[in-house]
Amino acid sequence: MIFDLIQNTFDGLAMGASYALLAVGFTLVFGVLRRVNLSYGPAIMIGCYAATWVSLSFHSNVFALLGITILGSVLAGTYVERLCFAPHRQGSAIAAMVASFALWMQFEEAVTLVMPKHLYDFPPMFDGDPLAFGPLSLRAEALVMLSCALAICFALHRMLYRSRFGLAVRAVIDAPLAAQLAGINVPRVLLLVFLLASGIGGLAGWLIASTHTQVTPMLGMWSTLKGLLAMMIGGLGSLPGAVIGGLALGVLEAHSQWFLGPQARDLIAYLLMFVLLAWWPRWMTTQSAS
Amino acid sequence: MSALLEIRQLVTAYGKIEALKGVTLDVEQGSITCLLGPNGAGKTTLMMTVAGILRPKSGSIRLAGEEITGRPPHAIVAGGIALVPENRLVFPNMSVLENLQAGAYQRRDREIEADIGKLFERFPRLKERSGQNAGTLSGGEQQMLAVARALMSRPKLLLMDEPSLGLAPLVVEEIFRIIVQLHQDGVSIFLVEQNAHMALKVAQHFYLMEQGKVTFSGTPGALAEDEVIRRAYLGSAKA
Amino acid sequence: MDDYTVSVLTNIGLISFIALSAYLLIIAGEMSFGQQGFFGVGAYTAGVATAMYGVPLPIAAVMAMGAGAAAAFLVGLPTLRLRGLYFAMATLAAAEMLRIVFELIHFQREIDGEPIGPDGTQGFRGIRWVFENGVEPEGFLAMVWGLLFAVVALFLFMERSKLGATLRMLGEDPELARMLGVHVERFKLGVAAAAGALAALGGALYAHHNTYIEPRNFDIMLGVHSLAYALIGGLGTAFGPLLGVLIDIGALEGSRVFHGYRMIVFGGLVAVLLIFRPRGLLDERVVHWLKRRLA
């Protein structure tokens, strides 16, 4: 029993590490643009499909695919930013959210047109068995994923507080009008933040695909919803919060699945999101991007 | 020689409502020029249009003979115009030092650190608080920070939108002392002000704007002689 | 009319209900990403009533509307005071919860030696009231469109009334509405419940048209489509959402020209229209102009 609990927590942390990475990208966009990008996951899916296609055509190394995945995600992200976020910069946040959903539909249909099979294999990062700690086991991918999440969180923090670009990003978050008056090219900063988030999403997508050793069209919706949930649990807009939110979501899901089954797992996650939004709105809004 | 800033027939609209209905005015090189006018006359709209935040519907803005109409705000700053906006608008969650660094965002030269040092000499209060978040400063200190931030871009022309608004009389005097000092250092200043008494002491040229149009242009002497303006802007004001 | 045309026209009618439901909320200033949940509540309620308990469809539809209104009221209670983006995400979470609840419901009765009722992810088949009562597809089509016209007429009547003016004021400037003595919270709850009932009515009819429903039918895709229909069709008149549905289901899906590319075309259309016509094709200005020409 106690081993089950510990093993579940391990599995949850492993899963949570991928949620954390997804949430970091999501949070970056939300924290700076105050917009929700529903196409975040589908853009990642485009990257993963591009890599899958390369892998099937050229049998390339799994680490070479990382570059393809990131490139694909960033290109798809550029398309999303130009069509959904740049035009609605002054306008409604909801319009941008709906527009990003419209592109989600495009992405999903586009991948099924080009690669119609329901499931494609993705090469694994490592061959061999999971690492064993006595009766417990943990996959090496989970450790890689967790280290990546922490490293990226740390690097983003450094970028925000130690670099010229980070200064501009924080200025835009703090007072967008003043940032323009200070001579900061705000549209460009927003585009770059968006592309950075897409790149992080691409890394997350590659890690997830090579951990699950498969890609399906569901990856898009899955990534968006998990990233969104983890971001919310972490308090909307805080980078360390996103990592903690992702891990918490993973552990919560692992335990609720073990005790109550997969549907209850999703139900509890959404319930948490609903309750957080409805009854703790201050939790959501007071956690600024710092 | 043409003026430093030349505004010709400038029209800016919010939807169908024209806030500026063909504004024409000049700011001479090396001058302090002051724009007076009641609330809602379009003074802030004019400042925001010159700074590139608002796009004009028609008309032209030239800086030192160069057409800058319709350029984005960051390009305007790079071109040499910096605006100290109404209500100061500092970056509240960034330190005083970071606020100044952000003001130099356009610059790539190596003199940024030196400029910050000079500004700290001019504004010793800011130096004392350089690590503090700007949001924790008093209103007067924030106003000084906003001016200092604008100066970090090394502007040819400094726009100031009601710098004395909401400040205590002593602080207002300090702000005007700074304006005079900047002017002596060679910065051209275009000032929007409600406090006509203070402005009268420093400015060389005045414009009056009413309902989106310039209705008076002249020297401080001419302004003080105009009966209507006197009653509206100087009559009841405290000295 | 051939079967295919009848089926496409029926579908346009059915989806128009949920599009109108999204429209009603947008007019009142709220973008819900969760109307599909109430559509599903209506579908399940009416399906259970007719297929398991022999309730006639008209009564079952009224029950569905009641259930939809109640569900929307309960969701609205804690969420309607949230601002735009937060309301959108909260309603999305609520609708996903409802969908998972549909996955968890296993509730069947033996009818004529056959188990009938919702069976979790296996769905709910055998909602055959329409066929058992000899209603031809054309008859059902007439029923759907008859009801739809009644609803649209109600909308047009409402928009001319004081109620409609209050509704638009609420959407444009809730503070002004509050100052003029509108009880904003109560009013919005009423609107949310009405929108829930409308979506549920559509769901009830949808279940009886398809005879089979499953939780997947009521996922976020349906919800955002209904929002998109209202947004591209136009927010100036209740005909707007209908136009939106007509463009997507009628022109893109129905014509088969865009087979395999429908989502790409429709998605692009939505994104581009949101930029150039943020209040849709039939926005307030176009509607005003049309009214003047017609008058």
Side-chain angles (χ1 to χ4, degrees):
Chain A
M1 178 66 189
I2 190 79
F3 283 122
D4 286 337
L5 278 179
I6 298 173
Q7 180 63 52
N8 280 336
T9 308
F10 267 43
D11 293 346
L13 287 172
M15 206 62 200
S18 58
Y19 300 162
L21 261 177
L22 290 169
V24 165
F26 228 115
T27 301
L28 202 55
V29 168
F30 186 82
V32 181
L33 282 79
R34 295 279 138 186
R35 297 279 190 273
V36 170
N37 175 18
L38 290 177
S39 255
Y40 176 66
I44 294 171
M45 176 187 69
I46 293 284
C48 290
Y49 266 82
T52 308
W53 184 81
V54 169
S55 149
L56 289 173
S57 315
F58 305 105
H59 301 284
S60 52
N61 177 287
V62 65
F63 293 98
L65 296 183
L66 172 61
I68 308 280
T69 314
I70 290 179
L71 185 69
S73 305
V74 170
L75 286 178
T78 312
Y79 176 62
V80 174
E81 203 273 346
R82 290 288 98 187
L83 214 54
C84 305
F85 291 90
H88 300 293
R89 197 168 290 136
Q90 322 280 331
S92 122
I94 296 282
M97 187 166 165
V98 176
S100 73
F101 184 84
L103 297 200
W104 170 345
M105 296 194 292
Q106 289 194 313
F107 287 156
E108 218 167 272
E109 189 158 60
V111 296
T112 46
L113 274 176
V114 179
M115 299 174 76
K117 273 205 302 184
H118 181 66
L119 192 152
Y120 287 90
D121 290 332
F122 200 91
M125 229 180 295
F126 308 111
D127 295 319
D129 296 325
L131 308 171
F133 302 91
L136 303 169
S137 68
L138 186 64
R139 296 184 57 176
E141 285 90 343
L143 288 178
V144 174
M145 198 116 72
L146 195 57
S147 337
C148 280
L150 291 174
I152 282 186
C153 192
F154 181 72
L156 282 176
H157 197 270
R158 295 275 307 198
M159 186 274 286
L160 278 174
Y161 289 92
R162 296 286 162 80
S163 76
R164 200 177 111 86
F165 179 67
L167 184 76
V169 172
R170 282 189 299 134
V172 173
I173 296 171
D174 223 12
L177 179 59
Q180 284 184 296
L181 293 174
I184 294 167
N185 186 344
V186 175
R188 189 162 149 266
V189 169
L190 295 181
L191 174 66
L192 288 176
V193 165
F194 201 92
L195 298 188
L196 182 63
S198 303
I200 294 171
L203 170 65
W206 176 79
L207 286 165
I208 290 163
S210 68
T211 303
H212 298 185
T213 67
Q214 63 176 54
V215 294
T216 74
M218 290 301 290
L219 181 63
M221 184 190 279
W222 185 86
S223 305
T224 289
L225 291 178
K226 298 299 182 191
L228 195 62
L229 270 169
M231 171 174 86
M232 277 186 200
I233 295 169
L236 274 176
S238 127
L239 289 173
V243 173
I244 294 164
L247 295 177
L249 177 64
V251 173
L252 179 77
E253 283 193 354
H255 286 295
S256 50
Q257 170 154 13
W258 175 262
F259 289 110
L260 301 164
Q263 271 110 16
R265 173 198 70 196
D266 294 341
L267 190 62
I268 287 171
Y270 284 115
L271 187 64
L272 188 62
M273 170 168 163
F274 186 80
V275 166
L276 283 175
L277 277 166
W279 280 284
W280 279 293
R282 293 198 52 213
W283 163 253
M284 293 301 164
T285 43
T286 51
Q287 309 264 315
S288 67
S290 55
Chain B
M1 204 191 90
S2 63
L4 177 63
L5 182 74
E6 298 168 287
I7 297 174
R8 294 289 173 270
Q9 290 302 325
L10 195 67
V11 177
T12 302
Y14 299 99
K16 279 185 175 170
I17 301 156
E18 289 186 352
L20 301 182
K21 300 168 182 163
V23 170
T24 296
L25 57 80
D26 285 339
V27 176
E28 297 295 335
Q29 173 80 45
S31 74
I32 297 181
T33 302
C34 179
L35 181 65
L36 294 172
N39 284 329
K43 302 180 307 271
T44 296
T45 304
L46 178 64
M47 289 292 174
M48 290 300 208
T49 309
V50 175
I53 302 287
L54 298 173
R55 274 182 163 268
K57 226 167 92 179
S58 62
S60 109
I61 307 167
R62 285 157 162 267
L63 179 71
E66 195 184 340
E67 187 72 46
I68 59 165
T69 324
R71 283 196 193 164
H74 63 93
I76 303 266
V77 175
I81 297 181
L83 168 63
V84 182
E86 197 181 1
N87 297 321
R88 305 177 270 282
L89 279 183
V90 294
F91 300 113
N93 296 308
M94 286 161 61
S95 73
V96 167
L97 182 64
E98 287 172 333
N99 266 269
L100 296 180
Q101 287 168 339
Y105 194 74
Q106 283 286 331
R107 291 170 54 186
R108 292 275 185 183
D109 57 273
R110 301 186 168 277
E111 291 168 32
I112 294 175
E113 287 304 311
D115 278 10
I116 290 177
K118 280 185 206 157
L119 282 170
F120 277 159
E121 275 171 40
R122 179 169 287 177
F123 304 102
R125 294 264 284 286
L126 294 183
K127 187 177 185 182
E128 286 164 29
R129 304 186 193 288
S130 70
Q132 222 169 298
N133 273 2
T136 64
L137 302 185
S138 71
E141 289 164 345
Q142 289 192 9
Q143 185 63 61
M144 284 169 207
L145 178 58
V147 173
R149 185 185 65 200
L151 292 174
M152 282 305 295
S153 67
R154 290 192 167 176
K156 293 177 192 144
L157 173 65
L158 187 66
L159 308 178
M160 302 178 93
D161 194 353
E162 302 224 19
S164 69
L165 193 74
L167 297 180
L170 274 176
V171 184
V172 172
E173 281 188 26
E174 198 172 343
I175 296 286
F176 273 90
R177 212 162 29 242
I178 291 162
I179 292 173
V180 171
Q181 271 177 25
L182 290 173
H183 177 236
Q184 283 163 358
D185 294 350
V187 183
S188 308
I189 294 168
F190 184 27
L191 179 73
V192 166
E193 196 45 81
Q194 297 270 15
N195 192 333
H197 276 282
M198 288 305 287
L200 216 47
K201 291 182 191 161
V202 301
Q204 288 98 45
H205 198 94
F206 280 89
Y207 288 100
L208 177 67
M209 215 169 130
E210 287 166 313
Q211 296 181 355
K213 281 180 185 155
V214 173
T215 52
F216 170 88
S217 163
T219 60
L223 184 79
E225 277 164 27
D226 191 307
E227 190 57 35
V228 180
I229 296 177
R230 246 177 49 171
R231 213 174 293 156
Y233 295 94
L234 300 169
S236 61
K238 294 169 286 202
Chain C
M1 271 193 282
D2 62 295
D3 288 352
Y4 182 73
T5 313
V6 171
S7 160
V8 168
L9 287 178
T10 310
N11 254 321
I12 292 175
L14 292 171
I15 299 302
S16 293
F17 283 97
I18 184 171
L20 277 168
S21 147
Y23 167 79
L24 180 58
L25 276 170
I26 299 175
I27 296 298
E30 299 288 353
M31 291 258 194
S32 163
F33 275 62
Q35 294 309 102
Q36 69 275 24
F38 311 128
F39 192 79
V41 166
Y44 272 90
T45 307
V48 167
T50 61
M52 293 171 71
Y53 296 99
V55 178
L57 178 56
I59 297 174
V62 173
M63 289 166 67
M65 288 173 75
F73 182 86
L74 288 176
V75 170
L77 216 49
T79 55
L80 276 167
R81 61 195 161 74
L82 300 176
R83 282 184 298 119
L85 215 48
Y86 302 98
F87 178 76
M89 290 191 280
T91 46
L92 169 62
E96 283 292 284
M97 281 196 278
L98 280 171
R99 184 181 60 76
I100 298 167
V101 168
F102 299 147
E103 285 184 357
L104 289 169
I105 296 177
H106 296 274
F107 171 59
Q108 294 188 303
R109 284 181 74 182
E110 193 116 329
I111 290 166
D112 301 334
E114 192 188 348
I116 294 283
D119 186 18
T121 48
Q122 296 301 304
F124 178 2
R125 53 188 84 246
I127 308 171
R128 284 188 295 257
W129 189 90
V130 173
F131 300 92
E132 281 162 1
N133 288 275
V135 182
E136 294 294 313
E138 282 87 354
F140 190 70
L141 173 67
M143 216 168 105
V144 168
W145 278 88
L147 274 171
L148 186 61
F149 276 122
V151 169
V152 170
L154 210 61
F155 262 95
L156 294 180
F157 177 73
M158 180 202 71
E159 298 221 12
R160 280 159 188 260
S161 70
K162 188 164 166 276
L163 184 67
T166 312
L167 200 62
R168 284 198 181 261
M169 179 164 62
L170 207 59
E172 279 155 26
D173 194 344
E175 283 316 307
L176 179 67
R178 199 188 301 279
M179 281 193 292
L180 293 176
V182 179
H183 201 305
V184 173
E185 283 73 25
R186 215 180 290 169
F187 199 91
K188 279 201 173 171
L189 265 178
V191 172
L198 192 53
L201 174 61
L205 296 169
Y206 172 87
H208 288 83
H209 175 59
N210 286 22
T211 73
Y212 169 67
I213 51 176
E214 57 180 338
R216 272 216 307 232
N217 297 147
F218 314 111
D219 68 5
I220 172 181
M221 283 285 168
L222 176 63
V224 190
H225 268 94
S226 56
L227 259 186
Y229 293 146
L231 284 172
I232 67 164
L235 301 175
T237 160
F239 288 111
L242 267 60
L243 177 66
V245 180
L246 203 65
I247 291 172
D248 183 37
I249 300 184
L252 296 182
E253 189 185 10
S255 75
R256 301 185 220 193
V257 173
F258 297 106
H259 182 72
Y261 301 93
R262 173 187 154 211
M263 301 277 236
I264 292 179
V265 175
F266 183 66
L269 191 68
V270 170
V272 169
L273 276 176
L274 278 170
I275 300 171
F276 296 105
R277 296 200 67 95
R279 294 194 62 90
L281 292 170
L282 295 174
D283 62 9
E284 286 83 350
R285 200 186 294 181
V286 170
V287 169
H288 189 71
W289 180 82
L290 279 174
K291 273 185 188 155
R292 278 228 305 255
R293 306 250 27 203
L294 293 174

